[in-house]
Amino acid sequence: MSATRPRPTAAFVRVFGLPATTLASAPGRVNLIGEHTDYNDGLVLPTAIPQRTSVELALCDDGLVSVYSDELSRDGQPQSYRLGDEARQGDWLDYVRGITWALQQEGWARRLRGLRLHISSQVPVGSGLSSSAALLVSLLRGLRSALALPLSEVELARIARRAEVELVGAPVGIMDQLACALCGPGSALYLDTQSLAMQSVALPPSLDLIVIHSGVVHSHAAGEYRVRREECQQAAALLGVKSLRQLGVVDLATLAKLPEPLVRRVRHVVTENARVEEAVQALQQADGMRLGSLFSASHASLRDDYQVSVPALDRLVQLGEDDPAILGARLTGGGFGGSVVMLARAGESRVAAERIAHRYQVETGHNPTILVP
Ligand code: ADP
Ligand code: MG
């Protein structure tokens, strides 16, 4: 759903004293495999989750952008800024500032108007399921509809990324925005982030996905992400390649000249790209055993070579691996907390997810949330 007929909610009227005119939404996403590859020009395989971020908005001629988030507005009051005054403040409103700023940069300044905006989301924030891109894409969909902007989903994703990288200041790749703009249920998006070639791959009915949020959020995730990104750039420079995508598995032998931890970082990226290609074949052949073992290999690589796991995620993955209904499990998203994706035999996923989440809670004391199924 991109935009529907006006359907103002009571919350919008209560906060802003006028009805909303436009409603739009976008889903969160779960990346099946291909982690920390998108900023290395690599391969990824995300799909949509059922949870969505919704926005409702009304245009106003006063040049004021006033925003209320069900999740993050603290005192029940909207927060505001003036169009043209977008500057990074380090708060959640930066995501909205980023969108109005990016649209101005893209040449839409004269179309933009003041805004009343209500955000409400089912995508847990900071859980590796891309609440950020779901927010950016849903807001762009709402503005596309309200301002009659002739923008495709791919253009929305590009503008969303521009907002996140340049105004919010998060040096992210293009996967999340494209996934939230293009993914639907029942299929995964096989995306080459170098060429932007895309292919939809059906999820076979014999396999189910499970997504469990570990209940752990690591406050250093953004800093660690930046360090990994810089390590990859450093390794590419030392190896004389534009990006790590230019290395194949056969090049692994040449890595010996790199210092630690760069050898490990490159080994993860190169083998992870290969695993994405294999995973697509496994999905096309409905080969759950092979896909499951690729999930497991990906987790081991993220834990040992890329070093972005934490004990709680390792434990949740291990409980999945030990469960008879599960074919493979891995952390999904940037790591240091967040969620785990598991592959299950069809029909067994709900019971298995509850069993695993219960054991995890008893053992670790953390509070898991089952998001899929
Ligand atoms: P993830 O995308 O994995 O959930 P990020 O750190 O990339 O985690 O993005 C989370 C940030 O996005 C939040 O800290 C907040 O700034 C913004 N955000 C996400 N959802 C909402 C929301 N419903 N309301 C306001 N801001 C949101
Ligand atoms: Mg994000």
Side-chain angles (χ1 to χ4, degrees), residues 35-36 228 264-265 267-268 272 275 295-315 317-318 321 329-331 334-336:
E35 215 63 79
H36 287 278
R228 293 298 177 284
R264 290 161 181 258
R265 306 298 187 250
R267 194 164 53 210
H268 166 72
E272 186 77 352
R275 280 187 289 271
F295 274 32
S296 306
S298 172
H299 185 77
S301 180
L302 287 161
R303 182 192 60 214
D304 302 332
D305 276 347
Y306 221 64
Q307 297 180 298
V308 292
S309 192
V310 289
L313 287 175
D314 290 339
R315 190 64 203 133
V317 165
Q318 190 58 49
E321 298 280 354
R330 57 180 291 277
L331 75 83
F336 300 105

Side-chain angles (χ1 to χ4, degrees), residues 30-66:
V30 59
N31 190 24
L32 301 186
I33 197 159
E35 215 63 79
H36 287 278
T37 49
D38 74 337
Y39 55 82
N40 289 302
D41 285 348
L43 305 172
V44 295
L45 190 65
T47 184
I49 56 172
Q51 291 79 10
R52 303 180 75 88
T53 296
S54 301
V55 298
E56 49 178 347
L57 59 90
L59 298 174
C60 291
D61 280 329
D62 55 4
L64 192 72
V65 179
S66 189

Side-chain angles (χ1 to χ4, degrees), residues 29 95 126-134 136 164 170 172 176-177:
R29 64 99 188 97
Y95 288 81
S127 62
L129 301 173
S130 209
S131 69
S132 58
L136 295 164
E164 193 159 356
V172 293
D176 293 353
Q177 300 81 9

Side-chain angles (χ1 to χ4, degrees), residues 29 52-54 67-73 90-96 119-136 164 168 170 172 176 221-222 333-334 338:
R29 64 99 188 97
R52 303 180 75 88
T53 296
S54 301
V67 193
Y68 182 79
S69 161
D70 279 354
E71 288 69 39
L72 295 180
S73 288
D91 58 13
W92 62 267
L93 197 59
D94 279 352
Y95 288 81
V96 181
I119 301 164
S120 81
S121 180
Q122 306 157 333
V123 184
V125 172
S127 62
L129 301 173
S130 209
S131 69
S132 58
L135 170 57
L136 295 164
E164 193 159 356
V168 176
V172 293
D176 293 353

Side-chain angles (χ1 to χ4, degrees), residues 57 94 206 249 281 349 367:
L57 59 90
D94 279 352
S206 56
V249 175
Q281 288 171 12
S349 53
N367 218 348

Side-chain angles (χ1 to χ4, degrees), residues 2 24-26 53-55 57 133-143:
S2 58
S25 71
T53 296
S54 301
V55 298
L57 59 90
L135 170 57
L136 295 164
V137 172
S138 60
L139 175 53
L140 276 170
R141 283 181 173 164
L143 289 172

